[in-house]
Amino acid sequence: AVVRLGECHNVRRQFNLWMNTMKRMSLIVLISLLLAVSSVQAKQYNYGFNKHSLKGTFAYLVNGSFGPNDLSNTFAEMGLFTADGRGRITATATSRVNGEAAGVEYDCEYDVNPDGTAPVTCTRTDPVTGSESEANFLLALAAHKSFVQIIFVSSDNVGFTFASITGSGEKQ
């Protein structure tokens, strides 16, 4: 069969038109999908927790490792914290760093999210030296509100650049 040059050009032109149409259709489908996905909101868990959910005195224990460059220092702390149900926590504890024990006091502010997580920002004071540092924790409240999981998040103390400190507390 003999194919004429003009026929080949027409086939190529039809193919290009078809490809352009497919590209436009794909673009329309992609935009439609993006709009549909962006209109779907992430599921928000609301278990009814609020500041009043964290109230009372809790005995707690946290431990782990920390350091300015690695996790080379050991840390343990046990004490009592009292939450007022309105966003304030006070605590007294005994900390043990690399085997050396010292008293410590906390004055904190907290909020409680509807899912039971509670970010806590504290001023940590050494009662002997009076030195202060900021410490941030995240609490997770149990459904019965008498147990909390504790995760150390950060501190402005340079020695705590790297930290892996967790624990729990139980209502007294």
Side-chain angles (χ1 to χ4, degrees):
V2 175
V3 178
R4 295 185 191 146
L5 188 59
E7 288 176 5
C8 200
H9 180 70
N10 282 339
V11 169
R12 185 178 307 147
R13 190 170 55 107
Q14 287 177 347
F15 177 76
N16 287 339
L17 286 173
W18 179 79
M19 286 300 290
N20 286 339
T21 302
M22 296 313 307
K23 287 179 187 175
R24 280 190 219 114
M25 293 293 286
S26 296
L27 185 60
I28 289 170
V29 168
L30 180 63
I31 290 172
S32 298
L33 280 172
L34 288 174
L35 288 173
V37 168
S38 67
S39 68
V40 174
Q41 294 181 0
K43 184 174 181 170
Q44 298 293 318
Y45 292 99
N46 186 343
Y47 297 114
F49 288 98
N50 57 43
K51 286 182 184 179
H52 303 291
S53 303
L54 182 58
K55 186 174 183 179
T57 300
F58 292 75
Y60 73 93
L61 172 65
V62 294
N63 58 41
S65 302
F66 73 95
N69 300 310
D70 56 23
L71 299 175
S72 60
N73 297 294
T74 60
F75 176 86
E77 183 174 287
M78 63 184 232
L80 295 173
F81 76 80
T82 302
D84 68 0
R86 295 183 308 241
R88 301 223 22 102
I89 290 176
T90 56
T92 57
T94 299
S95 290
R96 194 167 190 88
V97 177
N98 295 327
E100 297 289 324
V104 65
E105 297 173 351
Y106 291 91
D107 184 30
C108 312
E109 293 182 1
Y110 72 89
D111 198 5
V112 177
N113 298 314
D115 65 358
T117 58
V120 182
T121 300
C122 299
T123 300
R124 185 178 194 269
T125 305
D126 180 329
V128 175
T129 65
S131 65
E132 293 184 347
S133 61
E134 182 176 292
N136 298 290
F137 299 89
L138 182 64
L139 305 181
L141 303 175
H144 50 75
K145 300 173 186 147
S146 63
F147 184 80
V148 296
Q149 288 293 120
I150 304 167
I151 299 172
F152 173 82
V153 178
S154 66
S155 174
D156 64 357
N157 184 326
V158 175
F160 282 81
T161 302
F162 291 94
S164 175
I165 300 170
T166 61
S168 60
E170 188 170 346
K171 195 169 190 177
Q172 300 300 290

